[in-house]
Amino acid sequence: MDLARLRTLRELSLRKTMASVAEALLISPSAVSQQIALLEDETGIELVERRGRGVRLTPAGQRLVEHAGRVIGILEEAKTDLAELKKTVAGELRVAAFPSVAASLIPPTIRALSARFPDLMTTFEELEPTDSLAALRAWQTDVAIVDDLTTASGLAEAQVETLHLLDDQLHVLLPPGHRLAERAHVTLEELATERWALDTNSSTYSDVIVGACRDAGFDPIINGRCHSFEVVRAMVEAGCSVSINPGLRGRDYIGRLLLKQIRPAIMRRIFVTFRSGERRNPAVAGFVTELQAVAAAMNTQAAPAPG
């Protein structure tokens, strides 16, 4: 059986639609459908059932995916073994991380790794934590940086190793001249009547904020559903909205906006993840070592000022 077709079937088991598999594999939906059809011809049995816009694997398809996972895992283990024996660390290392962490941690880590291993090409892709974990499981990235607010259920998987990097405290983002501008910290209850702008590019992150507001006894009045932090920042800076901002973003310049600590604090833990056993790979091990050094240096820095 063709390995590329097995990978396609495995992706389909994870992503459920031809369109999402096509996006992940950078091919057309018709090519995905053709790969599955050819695999069915090779095996002589139906592997998927079409259900509206999505598909469901047949019992034969599910069984084959289990075998495919083991086959691909063995091949990746072989690559790790060979990489461990090489005298020169070269090739490509793929890294995925979400925006607020990526901006702070990824550039200095790649720079340090490039100085250490000049023949190694490190490529970065910006992905939300849940997508990063999916890419890691599907062998589409080698390292994923995630947090526990949005991926708590995925961090306990046996095939994924997880290392804690740092903790990040969320802050309320206020416009200049706000009624709470002189306060060192605020409670969510004090913002119950405010209008909110949220970065909905990650629905999971915005759901966490909405959930925290509901736990505080109110549904936030959302007047901005934005697909980037830049738009959230513009809404707040104009006095249209308030928002909640990761502390890591507050380490960078954010204009005239005010950052206020939340009481009680809302924390998230940041982790680096990779497939089990792959820390033997010198490229993965080197990246993790440099990343931990950058995170440790960041932990020693002062927290963002309240205004």
Side-chain angles (χ1 to χ4, degrees):
M1 286 172 281
D2 182 83
L3 183 61
R5 293 166 195 160
L6 289 174
R7 284 185 182 272
T8 302
L9 182 68
R10 189 176 185 279
E11 280 295 307
L12 193 58
S13 73
L14 295 170
R15 301 180 185 271
K16 310 304 181 187
T17 68
M18 299 284 188
S20 59
V21 173
E23 184 178 356
L25 297 181
L26 303 177
I27 58 178
S28 68
S30 61
V32 173
S33 182
Q34 184 181 30
Q35 293 265 38
I36 298 300
L38 289 170
L39 189 58
E40 288 179 327
D41 288 342
E42 285 180 338
T43 58
I45 192 170
E46 188 179 37
L47 301 173
V48 301
E49 298 173 344
R50 272 67 177 178
R51 293 293 182 91
R53 294 183 178 180
V55 296
R56 185 177 72 176
L57 268 62
T58 65
Q62 293 170 355
R63 182 67 63 85
L64 186 56
V65 163
E66 293 172 6
H67 288 299
R70 288 195 294 273
V71 169
I72 296 169
I74 290 170
L75 289 175
E76 292 297 322
E77 186 178 356
K79 290 181 183 178
T80 298
D81 287 342
L82 294 176
E84 197 174 19
L85 294 170
K86 285 182 179 178
K87 294 182 179 180
T88 301
V89 179
E92 181 185 21
L93 180 73
R94 301 161 299 174
V95 178
F98 55 103
S100 59
V101 163
S104 301
L105 297 180
I106 295 299
T109 301
I110 290 180
R111 183 177 63 244
L113 192 67
S114 297
R116 183 175 169 189
F117 302 124
D119 294 323
L120 178 67
M121 169 70 75
T122 305
T123 59
F124 162 69
E125 183 175 6
E126 183 180 304
L127 292 174
E128 293 301 327
T130 51
D131 295 330
S132 292
L133 276 182
L136 189 67
R137 289 193 299 266
W139 289 276
Q140 292 171 353
T141 193
D142 302 305
V143 178
I145 302 176
V146 301
D147 71 336
D148 63 345
L149 278 184
T150 55
T151 59
S153 61
L155 290 176
E157 296 183 16
Q159 67 266 38
V160 173
E161 290 188 44
T162 302
L163 295 176
H164 175 250
L165 288 174
L166 72 162
D167 294 335
D168 187 30
Q169 183 175 355
L170 304 189
H171 290 70
V172 171
L173 199 60
L174 301 176
H178 191 273
R179 59 186 173 85
L180 300 174
E182 300 305 316
R183 298 276 297 277
H185 56 78
V186 300
T187 66
L188 290 180
E189 290 87 345
E190 292 174 304
L191 302 171
T193 60
E194 299 282 349
R195 290 175 169 79
W196 291 71
L198 299 180
D199 185 350
T200 57
N201 193 47
S202 168
S203 60
T204 311
Y205 177 73
S206 58
D207 288 346
V208 167
I209 295 175
V210 171
C213 292
R214 287 175 177 166
D215 290 343
F218 68 96
D219 281 314
I221 304 167
I222 301 173
N223 71 337
R225 300 182 186 275
C226 312
H227 291 286
S228 70
F229 175 67
E230 287 73 20
V231 181
V232 171
R233 182 173 59 189
M235 290 284 286
V236 176
E237 194 163 27
C240 302
S241 318
V242 300
S243 191
I244 287 184
N245 182 71
L248 285 173
R249 276 199 171 121
R251 296 174 188 269
D252 303 321
Y253 177 69
I254 57 172
R256 300 183 299 120
L257 300 180
L258 307 176
L259 285 173
K260 302 295 177 181
Q261 294 181 356
I262 304 172
R263 291 290 186 270
I266 302 177
M267 304 292 297
R268 64 176 180 172
R269 305 185 76 203
I270 311 297
F271 299 90
V272 57
T273 64
F274 43 89
R275 287 179 294 275
S276 295
E278 290 200 2
R279 199 171 181 184
R280 293 186 298 112
N281 185 317
V284 173
F287 182 86
V288 170
T289 297
E290 299 298 345
L291 181 65
Q292 288 175 315
V294 172
M298 189 168 292
N299 268 328
T300 64
Q301 296 174 4

